[in-house]
Amino acid sequence: PEQNRGVHRLDRRGGTSGTLAQVTPAQATRRDLLVSRAETADKMVLGDLGSKLTGALRKMQDHTVIDDEVLDAFLKEICTALLQADVNVKQVMTLRNNVKKEVKLAESASGLNKRKIVERAVYQELVGMLDSGAKHPFQPQKGKSTVVMFVGLQGNGKTTSCTKFAYYYKKKGWRVAMVCADTYRAGAFDQLKQNATKAGIPFYGSYNQPDPAVIATEGVERFKEEKMEIILVDTSGRHKQEAALFQEMKEVASSADPDLTVFVMDGSIGQAAFDQAKAFRDSVDVGAVVITKMDGHAKGGGAISAVAATKSPIIFIGTGEHFDEFESFETEAFVSRLLGKGDWKGLMNKLSEVIPSDQQPELLEKLSQGSFTLRFLYEQFANIQKMGPMGQMMSMIPGFSEELMPKGSEQESQARMKHYMTIMDSMTNQELDSPNLKVLQDNSRIKRIARGSGRSTKEVAQLLEEFKRLSKMWGKFGKMKMPKGGDMASMARGMNMQQMSRMIPPDMLKQMGGSGGLQQMMKQFSGKF
């Protein structure tokens, strides 16, 4: 059936089929678990630029007096870091001059913290540099079909980004489908089919129909009939901007009638992104931009600033090859993370995605009781794995830097977590639900668990030691006052500085600037920088 034009859906075995069998929620959940977890990248997105910016801020904080010499040295480091990220020279010089003007204006007012003025000025200038000024253009509506067409040059990661986009909204509960209208590149349909199968997303394509406009029309109509809420159309690309490419895109757009056209571009081209984004915007009604390959190239900052200069809104950035290495782009949160200030709001949103609001009261109830078991530890490990790349999550914590997570340690941590979960899979209900470890003091039990899980007795012992450490930390939660509404965000806001400082590792607390850094974090959580 795959040789005929038609809808290919996932069957119960996870393969492909020409039938229109429905994908049940249970099947979708099982397939979600099969999607490879991110063996997370050694670097956070733009990690090198972020390290240099936060390093410059720390050096400035070491000075008790911020005079002209200290300010010039600080701005020199900031500008050098931005130039190395391929940001346009004129934009960098504008940032430098504007920060100096802001500081001079502030000097006329007494009682102001000059260090904070400099930090805030740099933050505002970076936000202005990377912000296109356009609002997020994609606002799908429940119960209504929204068509999104993906365009871009060949090799920019268009098909992968299309799948990531679909997976992102699928996880949020939207009914998503994909249409392959790329008949130019050999293997395009096979790639989309493979990606869709892994992600558990319905797809449409043809091996025989040479006209992409026909495929787009048929696919969109079919999925509209099936009440799909977000329909993504993947189009052909070329190795360069050709008249044939733009003509084909116009034909597909005319057939599919998209509500939004997304331009996918390679972040490694740096400042050249300006000309490319402008060319596509002038030829096609581009409503938004996705920038890919932001994890392995130093020019990502230049690409973002260049695209922003065309006034095209950036909606997502790709930070790796895996489906969950795809971040919604919000300028203020992005700059805050670059400067080591974290993204507390984004972190709480991620937690809310993993732990739905209806489950949060139960979690907080366990927190208030100080109840901690191996089964609960297993559930939290599973939640952490659902959150995606650990580096992406950790970069949202104020004060975090790559120094706290050395190269390769992310993969090691993820692998250890999976090994611990395998060990717990070999435990009995009594062992998993016991609040203390007396039941596991027996060596014969430890040997049995090790044999059953295929791990060593040493690893079982390491898991029990980790359990003791986390159980002790969990006990501190029990002494805290829990919010009435059972809301995790309210709990975070309700913590005092002393309670929060006890929860954070000393090295990280020091990097955050002690209690003062914590206070800054809580201001950010309230929407203030």
Side-chain angles (χ1 to χ4, degrees):
E2 290 185 6
Q3 299 306 313
N4 301 319
R5 186 164 68 255
V7 177
H8 298 277
R9 285 290 189 91
L10 299 164
D11 65 15
R12 295 182 67 85
R13 297 178 300 280
T16 57
S17 171
T19 66
L20 295 177
Q22 285 295 318
V23 181
T24 67
Q27 290 170 341
T29 301
R30 284 197 295 273
R31 273 193 301 277
D32 284 349
L33 296 175
L34 293 175
V35 176
S36 63
R37 299 308 308 158
E39 295 140 359
T40 49
D42 291 332
K43 287 188 176 183
M44 296 182 292
V45 54
L46 290 181
D48 191 41
L49 174 59
S51 295
K52 289 173 181 175
L53 295 179
T54 53
L57 284 170
R58 281 201 300 272
K59 284 182 184 177
M60 184 182 68
Q61 288 169 356
D62 290 339
H63 294 275
T64 52
V65 178
I66 309 298
D67 54 20
D68 288 343
E69 185 180 347
V70 173
L71 179 60
D72 286 339
F74 167 71
L75 288 175
K76 183 179 179 181
E77 281 196 58
I78 294 289
C79 293
T80 301
L82 292 171
L83 290 170
Q84 288 173 347
D86 204 34
V87 176
N88 185 278
V89 176
K90 290 182 180 178
Q91 290 178 305
V92 174
M93 293 310 297
T94 300
L95 178 143
R96 179 189 175 89
N97 294 335
N98 287 349
V99 170
K100 282 202 160 190
K101 285 179 186 175
E102 184 73 23
V103 173
K104 284 183 179 179
L105 283 172
E107 282 177 346
S108 60
S110 58
L112 294 178
N113 186 324
K114 195 171 181 180
R115 185 179 289 104
K116 292 294 180 186
I117 292 166
V118 174
E119 287 183 11
R120 183 172 177 79
V122 169
Y123 168 80
Q124 289 175 333
E125 287 300 315
L126 285 173
V127 168
M129 181 189 295
L130 303 181
D131 190 2
S132 67
K135 292 183 179 180
H136 198 300
F138 188 60
Q139 302 292 339
Q141 296 178 18
K142 283 288 183 182
K144 180 185 176 183
S145 294
T146 301
V147 180
V148 182
M149 186 174 80
F150 281 70
V151 300
L153 298 184
Q154 194 168 314
N156 283 2
K158 186 158 39 63
T159 301
T160 302
S161 296
C162 190
T163 311
K164 288 179 176 181
F165 192 98
Y167 186 67
Y168 178 88
Y169 282 99
K170 175 182 178 285
K171 286 197 301 181
K172 291 181 176 293
W174 294 87
R175 289 171 53 78
V176 189
M178 297 166 63
V179 177
C180 180
D182 183 354
T183 58
Y184 180 81
R185 178 171 63 91
F189 180 35
D190 287 327
Q191 182 190 355
L192 184 140
K193 182 169 67 174
Q194 184 181 31
N195 287 351
T197 301
K198 282 184 180 179
I201 297 163
F203 60 95
Y204 181 97
S206 172
Y207 287 111
N208 301 324
Q209 174 58 255
D211 189 344
V214 173
I215 297 174
T217 301
E218 293 178 349
V220 170
E221 286 179 356
R222 176 66 64 88
F223 287 128
K224 279 186 176 180
E225 289 174 5
E226 296 182 15
K227 307 298 182 185
M228 290 295 172
E229 296 165 325
I230 300 175
I231 303 168
L232 309 179
V233 181
D234 184 25
T235 64
S236 303
R238 299 288 189 279
H239 287 297
K240 58 182 180 180
Q241 291 150 219
E242 299 174 349
L245 170 62
F246 292 126
Q247 181 59 36
E248 183 179 307
M249 284 191 302
K250 288 176 182 177
E251 290 174 2
V252 174
S254 177
S255 302
D257 191 21
D259 299 285
L260 175 69
T261 299
V262 175
F263 170 50
V264 180
M265 62 156 292
D266 186 343
S268 65
I269 64 174
Q271 290 183 48
F274 180 88
D275 294 328
Q276 194 178 111
K278 192 173 185 303
F280 270 83
R281 185 169 180 137
D282 291 344
S283 301
V284 190
D285 185 21
V286 173
V289 177
V290 170
I291 302 181
T292 64
K293 306 177 186 178
M294 292 292 287
D295 54 322
H297 295 278
K299 295 184 177 182
I304 293 175
S305 61
V307 172
T310 68
K311 302 303 177 185
S312 299
I314 302 167
I315 56 173
F316 286 99
I317 53 176
T319 58
E321 295 180 359
H322 299 277
F323 296 152
D324 50 7
E325 293 177 320
F326 196 60
E327 297 182 29
S328 178
F329 184 80
E330 294 180 15
T331 311
E332 291 187 358
F334 183 80
V335 172
S336 183
R337 287 164 61 186
L338 274 183
L339 296 176
K341 303 297 181 182
D343 178 15
W344 189 245
K345 186 178 179 181
L347 180 60
M348 294 309 295
N349 286 339
K350 265 191 172 291
L351 285 170
S352 295
E353 285 178 19
V354 173
I355 307 171
S357 56
D358 59 332
Q359 295 178 19
Q360 289 180 20
E362 182 184 349
L363 174 60
L364 293 179
E365 179 65 23
K366 290 181 179 179
L367 276 169
S368 64
Q369 295 172 354
S371 174
F372 193 74
T373 63
L374 282 164
R375 187 185 300 280
F376 186 77
L377 178 62
Y378 186 99
E379 291 169 356
Q380 301 321 306
F381 280 165
N383 285 336
I384 290 171
Q385 299 232 322
K386 288 178 193 173
M387 291 181 74
M390 198 174 289
Q392 186 185 111
M393 182 178 69
M394 294 298 284
S395 69
M396 294 179 178
I397 299 173
F400 178 82
S401 80
E402 287 185 297
E403 296 165 13
L404 293 175
M405 189 174 282
K407 186 176 181 179
S409 63
E410 282 191 65
Q411 291 94 324
E412 185 182 332
S413 299
Q414 291 276 24
R416 188 184 303 118
M417 200 180 299
K418 289 179 181 178
H419 293 163
Y420 286 165
M421 292 175 77
T422 303
I423 291 169
M424 287 186 274
D425 280 333
S426 295
M427 293 182 179
T428 64
N429 288 334
Q430 181 191 7
E431 291 162 349
L432 287 171
D433 295 326
S434 176
N436 59 62
L437 294 178
K438 288 181 181 178
V439 72
L440 286 167
Q441 295 301 316
D442 187 357
N443 284 333
S444 63
R445 280 182 184 266
I446 293 177
K447 289 178 181 177
R448 189 208 81 233
I449 293 167
R451 283 197 305 271
S453 61
R455 311 308 306 177
S456 66
T457 54
K458 182 181 178 181
E459 285 178 292
V460 177
Q462 286 173 345
L463 167 62
L464 299 180
E465 284 301 314
E466 185 71 7
F467 175 80
K468 286 179 186 175
R469 185 184 70 81
L470 293 171
S471 182
K472 186 177 179 182
M473 182 186 293
W474 197 256
K476 295 176 183 178
F477 277 108
K479 300 173 184 177
M480 289 167 50
K481 186 177 180 181
M482 294 294 132
K484 292 179 181 179
D487 175 27
M488 292 175 68
S490 299
M491 183 196 75
R493 285 192 292 266
M495 287 187 194
N496 60 42
M497 292 302 112
Q498 189 176 5
Q499 286 172 328
M500 291 195 73
S501 61
R502 287 201 301 263
M503 311 293 294
I504 299 171
D507 289 343
M508 187 180 292
L509 184 63
K510 184 179 178 182
Q511 271 207 328
M512 291 167 68
S515 296
L518 279 174
Q519 287 177 340
Q520 181 68 19
M521 178 185 76
M522 297 316 293
K523 283 181 183 178
Q524 186 201 14
F525 185 63
S526 301
K528 305 170 187 174
F529 184 82

